[in-house]
Amino acid sequence: MKKRVAILISGAGSNMEALVRAMARPGYPAEPVLVLSNRPGAGGLEKARALGVPTAVVDHRPFGEDRAAFEAALDEALRPARPDILCLAGFMRILTEGFIARWRGRMLNIHPSLLPRHRGLDTHARAIAAGDSQAGCTVHEVTAELDGGPILGQARLDIRPDDTPRTLAARILPLEHRLYPVVLERFARGERGRIELAVEE
Ligand code: GRF
Protein backbone atom coordinates (compact mmCIF):
# COMPACT_ATOMS: atom_id res chain seq x y z
CA MET A 1 0.00 0.00 0.00
CA LYS A 2 1.34 3.38 -0.98
CA LYS A 3 1.61 5.99 1.76
CA ARG A 4 -0.74 8.91 1.29
CA VAL A 5 1.15 12.22 1.32
CA ALA A 6 -0.19 15.73 1.87
CA ILE A 7 2.18 18.56 0.97
CA LEU A 8 1.93 21.93 2.74
CA ILE A 9 3.17 24.98 0.86
CA SER A 10 3.13 28.76 1.06
CA GLY A 11 4.80 29.84 -2.15
CA ALA A 12 6.15 28.76 -5.52
CA GLY A 13 5.92 25.08 -4.69
CA SER A 14 8.99 23.91 -6.58
CA ASN A 15 9.76 21.34 -3.90
CA MET A 16 6.14 20.21 -3.98
CA GLU A 17 6.44 19.76 -7.73
CA ALA A 18 9.63 17.71 -7.34
CA LEU A 19 7.89 15.48 -4.80
CA VAL A 20 4.77 15.01 -6.95
CA ARG A 21 6.83 14.18 -10.05
CA ALA A 22 8.92 11.67 -8.09
CA MET A 23 5.81 10.01 -6.66
CA ALA A 24 4.61 9.39 -10.23
CA ARG A 25 7.59 7.11 -10.87
CA PRO A 26 6.79 3.40 -11.01
CA GLY A 27 7.38 1.68 -7.70
CA TYR A 28 7.54 4.86 -5.62
CA PRO A 29 6.02 3.93 -2.26
CA ALA A 30 3.92 7.08 -1.80
CA GLU A 31 1.28 9.08 -3.63
CA PRO A 32 0.21 12.74 -3.36
CA VAL A 33 -3.32 13.13 -2.02
CA LEU A 34 -3.45 16.86 -1.30
CA VAL A 35 -1.51 20.09 -1.72
CA LEU A 36 -2.55 22.59 0.91
CA SER A 37 -1.51 26.24 1.01
CA ASN A 38 -1.98 28.84 3.71
CA ARG A 39 -1.71 31.53 1.01
CA PRO A 40 -4.56 31.70 -1.50
CA GLY A 41 -2.22 33.22 -4.12
CA ALA A 42 0.59 30.66 -3.77
CA GLY A 43 1.96 29.82 -7.21
CA GLY A 44 2.29 26.21 -6.17
CA LEU A 45 -1.49 25.77 -6.16
CA GLU A 46 -1.67 26.24 -9.91
CA LYS A 47 1.26 23.86 -10.38
CA ALA A 48 -0.46 21.23 -8.24
CA ARG A 49 -3.68 21.53 -10.22
CA ALA A 50 -1.75 21.18 -13.47
CA LEU A 51 -0.19 18.02 -12.05
CA GLY A 52 -3.63 16.68 -11.21
CA VAL A 53 -3.28 16.85 -7.42
CA PRO A 54 -6.24 18.03 -5.33
CA THR A 55 -5.63 21.37 -3.62
CA ALA A 56 -6.95 23.17 -0.56
CA VAL A 57 -6.39 26.60 0.95
CA VAL A 58 -6.52 27.44 4.63
CA ASP A 59 -5.79 31.15 4.79
CA HIS A 60 -4.10 31.90 8.11
CA ARG A 61 -4.98 35.58 8.10
CA PRO A 62 -8.57 35.45 9.40
CA PHE A 63 -7.29 33.53 12.43
CA GLY A 64 -4.92 36.33 13.51
CA GLU A 65 -2.90 35.17 16.51
CA ASP A 66 -5.14 32.18 17.14
CA ARG A 67 -2.81 29.44 15.93
CA ALA A 68 -4.86 26.67 17.51
CA ALA A 69 -7.94 27.72 15.53
CA PHE A 70 -5.86 27.93 12.34
CA GLU A 71 -4.56 24.42 12.98
CA ALA A 72 -8.05 23.10 13.70
CA ALA A 73 -8.98 24.37 10.24
CA LEU A 74 -5.85 22.71 8.84
CA ASP A 75 -6.88 19.42 10.47
CA GLU A 76 -10.31 19.75 8.98
CA ALA A 77 -8.93 20.35 5.49
CA LEU A 78 -6.48 17.46 5.80
CA ARG A 79 -8.83 14.86 7.29
CA PRO A 80 -10.82 13.96 4.14
CA ALA A 81 -7.54 13.28 2.27
CA ARG A 82 -6.50 10.77 5.00
CA PRO A 83 -2.77 11.48 4.71
CA ASP A 84 -0.26 9.14 6.32
CA ILE A 85 2.60 11.62 5.94
CA LEU A 86 2.77 15.43 5.87
CA CYS A 87 5.56 17.07 3.88
CA LEU A 88 6.21 20.72 4.65
CA ALA A 89 7.65 22.26 1.49
CA GLY A 90 8.25 25.97 1.90
CA PHE A 91 5.37 26.15 4.40
CA MET A 92 6.01 29.42 6.22
CA ARG A 93 3.87 29.02 9.34
CA ILE A 94 5.20 27.92 12.69
CA LEU A 95 3.11 25.04 14.01
CA THR A 96 2.15 24.57 17.65
CA GLU A 97 3.23 21.68 19.82
CA GLY A 98 -0.30 20.30 19.70
CA PHE A 99 -0.37 19.98 15.92
CA ILE A 100 3.18 18.64 15.84
CA ALA A 101 2.37 16.04 18.50
CA ARG A 102 -0.57 14.79 16.43
CA TRP A 103 1.76 14.26 13.46
CA ARG A 104 4.80 13.09 15.40
CA GLY A 105 6.88 10.66 13.34
CA ARG A 106 4.79 11.41 10.25
CA MET A 107 5.83 14.96 9.32
CA LEU A 108 8.89 16.05 7.31
CA ASN A 109 10.32 19.45 6.44
CA ILE A 110 12.99 20.70 4.07
CA HIS A 111 15.24 23.45 5.32
CA PRO A 112 17.78 25.33 3.17
CA SER A 113 20.83 24.95 5.41
CA LEU A 114 23.07 22.26 6.79
CA LEU A 115 21.26 21.82 10.08
CA PRO A 116 22.00 22.20 12.93
CA ARG A 117 23.63 25.29 11.46
CA HIS A 118 21.33 28.22 10.62
CA ARG A 119 17.90 27.30 11.86
CA GLY A 120 15.16 29.76 10.97
CA LEU A 121 15.23 32.32 8.17
CA ASP A 122 17.87 33.99 5.96
CA THR A 123 19.97 30.86 5.96
CA HIS A 124 22.04 31.66 2.87
CA ALA A 125 23.01 35.15 4.02
CA ARG A 126 23.90 33.76 7.43
CA ALA A 127 26.03 30.96 5.98
CA ILE A 128 28.00 33.49 3.93
CA ALA A 129 28.30 35.97 6.80
CA ALA A 130 29.56 33.20 9.08
CA GLY A 131 32.32 32.35 6.58
CA ASP A 132 31.04 28.79 6.19
CA SER A 133 32.89 26.78 3.56
CA GLN A 134 29.80 24.72 2.72
CA ALA A 135 26.05 25.17 2.52
CA GLY A 136 23.19 22.92 1.52
CA CYS A 137 19.84 21.61 2.58
CA THR A 138 18.39 19.25 5.13
CA VAL A 139 15.27 17.11 5.31
CA HIS A 140 14.29 16.40 8.90
CA GLU A 141 11.44 15.13 10.97
CA VAL A 142 9.39 17.91 12.49
CA THR A 143 9.43 18.11 16.27
CA ALA A 144 8.48 20.90 18.65
CA GLU A 145 12.00 22.33 18.39
CA LEU A 146 12.09 24.66 15.35
CA ASP A 147 14.21 23.07 12.60
CA GLY A 148 15.54 20.75 15.30
CA GLY A 149 14.03 17.32 14.61
CA PRO A 150 16.01 14.20 13.64
CA ILE A 151 17.94 14.72 10.40
CA LEU A 152 17.02 12.27 7.64
CA GLY A 153 19.13 13.58 4.79
CA GLN A 154 21.44 16.34 3.62
CA ALA A 155 22.97 17.54 0.37
CA ARG A 156 25.85 20.01 0.33
CA LEU A 157 27.98 22.15 -1.92
CA ASP A 158 31.01 24.40 -1.52
CA ILE A 159 30.31 28.08 -1.10
CA ARG A 160 32.17 30.05 -3.76
CA PRO A 161 34.00 33.29 -2.93
CA ASP A 162 31.65 35.25 -5.18
CA ASP A 163 28.42 33.65 -3.91
CA THR A 164 25.69 35.99 -2.73
CA PRO A 165 22.60 34.92 -0.79
CA ARG A 166 20.78 34.95 -4.11
CA THR A 167 23.25 32.81 -6.06
CA LEU A 168 23.58 30.42 -3.16
CA ALA A 169 19.80 30.01 -2.96
CA ALA A 170 19.68 29.37 -6.71
CA ARG A 171 22.43 26.75 -6.42
CA ILE A 172 20.86 25.00 -3.44
CA LEU A 173 17.25 24.85 -4.67
CA PRO A 174 18.01 22.11 -7.26
CA LEU A 175 19.67 20.11 -4.49
CA GLU A 176 16.47 20.41 -2.47
CA HIS A 177 14.53 19.05 -5.43
CA ARG A 178 16.76 16.00 -5.56
CA LEU A 179 17.10 15.39 -1.84
CA TYR A 180 13.47 15.61 -0.73
CA PRO A 181 12.10 12.87 -3.03
CA VAL A 182 14.92 10.51 -2.06
CA VAL A 183 14.31 11.04 1.65
CA LEU A 184 10.54 10.76 1.30
CA GLU A 185 10.93 7.48 -0.58
CA ARG A 186 13.05 6.02 2.21
CA PHE A 187 10.76 7.44 4.88
CA ALA A 188 7.68 5.95 3.22
CA ARG A 189 9.43 2.56 3.34
CA GLY A 190 10.04 3.03 7.06
CA GLU A 191 13.76 3.82 6.81
CA ARG A 192 14.79 6.42 9.36
CA GLY A 193 18.58 6.42 8.95
CA ARG A 194 20.37 9.55 7.85
CA ILE A 195 21.67 9.86 4.31
CA GLU A 196 24.10 12.20 2.60
CA LEU A 197 23.15 12.76 -1.01
CA ALA A 198 26.17 12.93 -3.29
CA VAL A 199 25.50 15.67 -5.80
CA GLU A 200 27.27 17.23 -8.71
CA GLU A 201 26.09 20.60 -9.85
C1 GRF B 1 12.85 26.40 -0.25
O1 GRF B 1 14.14 26.92 -0.34
C2 GRF B 1 12.63 25.79 1.09
O2 GRF B 1 13.71 25.08 1.56
C3 GRF B 1 12.42 27.04 1.88
O3 GRF B 1 11.56 27.83 1.09
C4 GRF B 1 11.81 27.52 -0.27
C5 GRF B 1 10.52 27.09 -0.87
O4 GRF B 1 10.57 26.99 -2.26
N1 GRF B 1 11.95 26.77 3.21
P1 GRF B 1 9.41 26.28 -3.04
O5 GRF B 1 8.09 26.87 -2.58
O6 GRF B 1 9.48 24.79 -2.75
O7 GRF B 1 9.69 26.59 -4.47
Side-chain angles (χ1 to χ4, degrees), residues 34-141:
L34 185 69
V35 169
L36 188 154
S37 174
N38 67 302
R39 294 215 177 102
L45 287 169
E46 201 46 57
K47 284 190 188 130
R49 285 187 206 110
L51 290 161
V53 183
T55 60
V57 174
V58 180
D59 190 342
H60 63 279
R61 288 170 301 185
F63 298 98
E65 299 296 301
D66 192 348
R67 287 185 189 271
F70 168 65
E71 291 174 356
L74 270 188
D75 279 334
E76 209 161 301
L78 288 167
R79 198 172 304 119
R82 294 180 290 111
D84 301 305
I85 297 171
L86 294 192
C87 287
L88 308 184
F91 184 66
M92 301 304 285
R93 302 301 298 169
I94 291 177
L95 298 163
T96 68
E97 284 188 25
F99 187 91
I100 291 167
R102 288 198 285 288
W103 288 95
R104 176 108 209 187
R106 299 185 294 153
M107 180 158 48
L108 307 183
N109 180 44
I110 186 149
H111 183 77
S113 81
L114 294 172
L115 290 173
R117 289 188 73 69
H118 311 306
R119 296 176 183 183
L121 299 174
D122 299 324
T123 52
H124 307 303
R126 287 160 57 209
I128 292 170
D132 293 357
S133 58
Q134 290 194 315
C137 52
T138 303
V139 177
H140 63 94
E141 279 188 56

Side-chain angles (χ1 to χ4, degrees), residues 11-16 89-90 110-112 173 176:
S14 67
N15 278 290
M16 174 279 298
I110 186 149
H111 183 77
L173 194 60
E176 298 183 35

